Amino acid sequence: MRFPVPVICALLFAQSAPAFAALGAAAGPAAGAPPQAQADAARAKASARVTSYSGYTVSEVVEPSGTTVREYIGADNVVFAVSWQGPSMPNLQQLLGSYADQYVAAASEPHPGRRAVAIQSDQLVLRSGGHMRSFAGNAYVPSLLPQGVTPDNIR
């Protein structure tokens, strides 16, 4: 049985996952997030491994499914990139925030013979793909990349 891509995207977005900040937003739970999302965010941050680099930090959380999610946070506390790798897709609606609609639109376009999604624009660069038990991807906002940070730094 094959499901249409919009149905698959809706199912992936509906997954329960720890709360992360959205791409392009300030790090931390989204303003107005329900108490459960704020509690999830606090729990995720408490278990996050944070690594500092010149001009940015990377917060890495391993979800209960085993998927590793990284948030790349600039000195201005704004998430300029996200990446994921693991056996299940993270909640991309939450990770991509206002950029999620671009992902849904790109994923809904026909891709004969391919399951990967790629977006390359001035507003968003995204690559996502994989198969059951092995998904990976990353997304970043080119205009938010700190000086000296290249797309190769986002893994």
Side-chain angles (χ1 to χ4, degrees), residues 19-110:
F20 297 96
L23 183 63
Q36 183 60 44
Q38 292 180 8
D40 289 347
R43 192 173 339 112
K45 289 294 179 192
S47 65
R49 187 176 87 184
V50 178
T51 306
S52 294
Y53 297 94
S54 179
Y56 69 102
T57 59
V58 178
S59 177
E60 178 181 296
V61 174
V62 179
E63 294 184 333
S65 68
T67 297
T68 300
V69 177
R70 293 183 185 92
E71 291 178 316
Y72 294 77
I73 305 164
D76 56 358
N77 199 39
V78 172
V79 178
F80 64 88
V82 293
S83 68
W84 57 93
Q85 182 171 11
S88 67
M89 288 287 282
N91 183 332
L92 291 183
Q93 177 78 39
Q94 189 175 47
L95 284 180
L96 299 177
S98 62
Y99 298 95
D101 291 342
Q102 292 181 48
Y103 172 78
V104 171
S108 299
E109 293 176 5

Side-chain angles (χ1 to χ4, degrees), residues 23 99 102-103 119-126 139-142:
L23 183 63
Y99 298 95
Q102 292 181 48
Y103 172 78
I119 298 171
Q120 179 82 37
S121 73
D122 294 341
Q123 295 86 33
L124 177 67
V125 176
L126 180 143
Y140 65 91
V141 179

